[in-house]
Amino acid sequence: QSLPELQAGLPSGDIDLAAGFLPALGKQVRRTRLFHERFIYIARQGHPIVQGRLSREQLHDLAHVVASPPGTRHASHVERALASPLVQARVALRVRSFLCVAPIVSQTDLVAAVPSNLAALMAPALNLQIIDPPIQIEGFDVTMAWHDRFQRDPASEWLREQFLALFKDLDLVKG
């Protein structure tokens, strides 16, 4: 959903619950952290430079794919780290969704910093290497959000409890 859709849908009840990396949605929107996510690198198996590890110096020579989902600050976190004076890496391609990054990386010599849980899910199917980043990239919280109007609504309470239980039991990569 777009930010305007969330800002209109949560108070009206058209959207019961939002989950993800959510921007500020107003003072009347409550949120609970589900987990903290971190960025890691992916590269295709057989990459001519990346062989299971990366150095900060190598990042300068590698072309990157950067995902910039609308309404999030993901790209700015990654691009800030890549543009730092010690790295100065080249961004060759910008896309709007993390879901297309792994297929692109799997078929090219491009590399990307992506959320660790997404990488863990996609790497085996797409024959990707998962590499700890040699630089600090700010992570983010994945949260669930609902409007204060529905704080005591039994159905809303039940749904939030289900989400909390689901994320408590998932085997997530710890950020």
Side-chain angles (χ1 to χ4, degrees), residues 59-137:
L59 291 183
H60 176 75
D61 297 325
L62 293 167
H64 286 70
V65 179
V66 175
S68 182
T72 71
R73 298 182 309 271
H74 293 306
S76 65
H77 291 185
V78 173
E79 290 200 45
R80 186 177 324 119
L82 296 179
S84 73
L86 293 175
V87 179
Q88 296 181 344
R90 181 170 57 95
V91 175
L93 179 63
R94 287 178 179 80
V95 296
R96 292 176 57 90
S97 171
F98 280 112
L99 296 177
C100 63
V101 172
I104 291 168
V105 168
S106 75
Q107 300 297 311
T108 67
D109 287 338
L110 299 173
V111 298
V114 298
S116 62
N117 287 289
L118 178 63
L121 182 67
M122 298 185 95
L126 294 173
N127 202 25
L128 296 171
Q129 302 176 60
I130 296 178
I131 305 116
D132 284 326
I135 58 174
Q136 184 71 34
I137 302 173

Side-chain angles (χ1 to χ4, degrees), residues 160-171:
R160 292 192 305 270
E161 288 169 10
Q162 299 308 304
F163 263 71
L164 288 172
L166 172 68
F167 282 92
K168 178 181 174 241
D169 293 339
L170 284 180
D171 185 25

Side-chain angles (χ1 to χ4, degrees), residues 38-41 52-54 130-135:
R38 67 185 183 96
F39 284 96
I40 55 92
Y41 264 87
R53 58 187 306 269
L54 275 170
I130 296 178
I131 305 116
D132 284 326
I135 58 174

